[in-house]
Amino acid sequence: MSGFKPRRPAPPPPNMPGSDKLRAYFDRVDSNKSGTITPKELQAALVNGNNTEFNLVTINSMINLFDHDKTGEICFKEFGHLWRYVVDWQNCFKSFDRDKSGSINNVELEEALTSFGYNLSPMVYTLLLRKFDRTKLQAVRFDDFIQCCLVLHGMTETFRAEDTDMDGVVTISYEKFLIMLLNSSLL
């Protein structure tokens, strides 16, 4: 049976740069010098291990996660949180990219998600890989890995809201299912 039973927090804690260095990074990314970072500015600053730019969907998901004032951009304080988040995920990604290919294959994805506490069927891992593999090479790049984890977490939280006895089973009507999805940040 599929389920989620957290074993440990994921990913591990990072080494954060000092405030001055973080400010220098922020100022470099804030190319229009507005005092905030737009999704396009962040996308220009982030690259995958194979020097491809980040997926804008992933960028927007990350900004939405840290944009507490909901302006669609992030200020310096929000940037600090986002920086830590990206470094966390980068460390995590590197630890599961066992063959150092710059992407995570089906086996590595299963190992990563299992270490986070997910207990999913082989079919679900295959579907996750298919959904988030934009390269069609049977692997996910760093940004797609982040997106996969964000979506899986969001789906899990949506499910948990209805799984009141935490047995991994819910019974809902079709309309309730639609309401759950349409109210989520997944669409």
Side-chain angles (χ1 to χ4, degrees):
M1 175 195 309
S2 296
F4 177 74
K5 295 179 176 75
R7 293 186 200 144
R8 67 172 176 83
N15 297 323
M16 280 294 288
S19 184
D20 291 344
K21 193 170 191 175
L22 192 62
R23 173 54 79 176
Y25 292 152
F26 179 86
D27 291 342
R28 197 172 331 148
V29 175
D30 180 19
S31 59
N32 68 3
K33 305 303 177 209
S34 66
T36 60
I37 294 175
T38 67
K40 280 292 191 190
E41 288 173 324
L42 187 60
Q43 184 182 37
L46 294 176
V47 294
N48 287 299
N50 59 1
N51 292 321
T52 58
E53 68 180 16
F54 261 49
N55 178 352
L56 196 53
V57 172
T58 304
I59 295 288
N60 285 323
S61 293
M62 291 190 311
I63 285 184
N64 287 338
L65 195 61
F66 294 100
D67 177 21
H68 299 296
D69 56 3
K70 302 301 176 203
T71 62
E73 300 178 1
I74 53 173
C75 66
F76 176 68
K77 181 179 179 183
E78 295 165 337
F79 177 75
H81 296 292
L82 180 117
W83 180 275
R84 178 183 177 131
Y85 182 81
V86 170
V87 170
D88 283 348
W89 282 112
Q90 186 177 50
N91 291 337
C92 177
F93 182 86
K94 286 178 180 178
S95 74
F96 288 103
D97 180 16
R98 304 250 193 284
D99 61 2
K100 307 298 179 220
S101 64
S103 59
I104 289 184
N105 64 31
N106 197 14
V107 171
E108 294 164 334
L109 181 63
E110 183 174 346
E111 288 173 1
L113 296 177
T114 299
S115 79
F116 300 161
Y118 290 98
N119 180 22
L120 307 170
S121 70
M123 180 180 189
V124 173
Y125 290 114
T126 299
L127 290 170
L128 286 169
L129 186 70
R130 186 182 311 151
K131 175 74 176 170
F132 295 99
D133 173 18
R134 290 182 300 126
T135 64
K136 305 302 179 211
L137 298 174
Q138 303 300 306
V140 291
R141 295 183 299 199
F142 176 50
D143 59 336
D144 299 323
F145 175 69
I146 292 173
Q147 186 68 24
C148 175
C149 292
L150 286 173
V151 168
L152 186 58
H153 177 75
M155 292 169 77
T156 301
E157 291 303 308
T158 300
F159 182 86
R160 276 185 170 169
E162 298 300 316
D163 187 15
T164 55
D165 56 359
M166 299 299 286
D167 66 353
V169 177
V170 297
T171 303
I172 57 172
S173 69
Y174 178 64
E175 186 164 330
K176 179 65 176 179
F177 171 73
L178 291 175
I179 290 169
M180 287 169 58
L181 285 179
L182 294 171
N183 277 330
S184 78
S185 61
L186 302 172
L187 299 177

